[in-house]
Amino acid sequence: VAAVAGALVKGALGFNGQRCTAEKIIFAPKAIAAEVAKALADRVAGLKLGMPWEEGVGIVPLPEADKLAAMGAYVDDGLAKGAKVVNPKGGQGCFSLMHPAVLFPVDARMRIFHEEQFGPVVPVAPYDSVDEVVAWQRASPFGQQAGVWGPPDRVRPVAEALARFVARVNLNDVCQRGPDSFGFTATDKSGFGTLSLREALLTFSRPVLIQSRDPAQLSPFAAS
């Protein structure tokens, strides 16, 4: 649990969680959900807040003027409906700098269960059956990536089920942009298609024809 929590904190809170590939919600088996939430809280408590140019900083100011209030609204909604902030100072902030909040237990009554926060709030939702997680993904409008953690025999059926609804499934790994050789894929309202570095360059490029009857005139271009 500790090892997985370390990876998930990095995945969920890299760039303050303002990555399209950041883990937006974490589902944990009910029997160990509290342990997972505690491990996440311990990792988050060790993150240093500050400015991007300071050494060792893990959380930096949010780039939107109303972002702190928006994140606070998610936290307040969760607290009002039975969740708790399980890490010290979680949700506290000033101006545009905020301590990440690990919310637990999160359920379907809460906004954060359905909406993409795109910021430093980490919701942890306990489940009894993996079918509940698959049902959540089926109903969700977001279809970019999912991460599945566990031994191979347990991971495979879950990955196969989620593959019907997302464009990439990460096995015992966080959701992420690279490597570029995989391309950048999405489905549902996250967008359709694949984008890689090569395709991006082609998208923003146009072919140009340079011709001459004299091959000597073309040799400098061929060399470049």
Side-chain angles (χ1 to χ4, degrees):
V1 169
V4 173
L8 288 176
V9 166
K10 184 177 180 180
L13 295 175
F15 296 95
N16 283 352
Q18 293 192 288
R19 300 181 302 125
C20 56
T21 55
E23 274 73 4
K24 300 300 193 298
I25 186 168
I26 296 170
F27 290 93
K30 185 171 287 185
I32 62 167
E35 182 185 357
V36 170
K38 175 64 166 57
L40 291 167
D42 291 344
R43 290 283 185 162
V44 170
L47 295 176
K48 178 182 177 181
L49 279 66
M51 302 306 290
W53 53 82
E54 296 177 26
E55 186 176 352
V57 166
I59 297 295
V60 299
L62 296 162
E64 300 168 65
D66 59 348
K67 197 68 175 182
L68 201 65
M71 295 300 100
Y74 282 121
V75 173
D76 291 342
D77 176 72
L79 294 177
K81 295 169 182 172
K84 295 181 179 180
V85 176
V86 296
N87 60 302
K89 300 183 180 180
Q92 298 180 19
C94 185
F95 295 104
S96 59
L97 193 61
M98 170 185 165
H99 287 274
V102 180
L103 272 181
F104 173 79
V106 166
D107 60 42
R109 298 172 299 157
M110 305 170 191
R111 288 177 55 202
I112 196 75
F113 187 84
H114 307 282
E115 300 178 18
E116 186 180 39
Q117 70 278 34
F118 221 74
V121 179
V122 184
V124 183
Y127 67 85
D128 288 308
S129 167
V130 170
D131 292 340
E132 298 171 40
V133 183
V134 176
W136 178 92
Q137 185 63 69
R138 181 186 295 112
S140 172
F142 308 116
Q144 197 173 86
Q145 297 188 28
V148 187
W149 300 80
D153 59 325
R154 300 287 297 277
V155 162
R156 180 175 176 178
V158 184
E160 290 176 343
L162 291 174
R164 301 198 300 269
F165 308 107
V166 299
R168 174 170 166 174
V169 180
N170 302 277
L171 305 181
N172 289 317
D173 202 0
V174 296
C175 301
Q176 55 198 293
R177 168 64 180 85
D180 189 70
S181 57
F182 288 172
F184 187 56
T185 59
T187 188
D188 211 327
K189 290 186 179 179
S190 297
F192 287 96
T194 300
L195 178 65
S196 67
L197 182 58
R198 180 179 181 276
E199 290 168 321
L201 291 173
L202 290 174
T203 298
F204 294 101
S205 303
R206 60 183 175 86
V208 176
L209 178 64
I210 300 175
Q211 85 80 33
S212 174
R213 293 178 184 273
D214 181 2
Q217 297 292 328
L218 297 176
S219 57
F221 295 97
S224 61

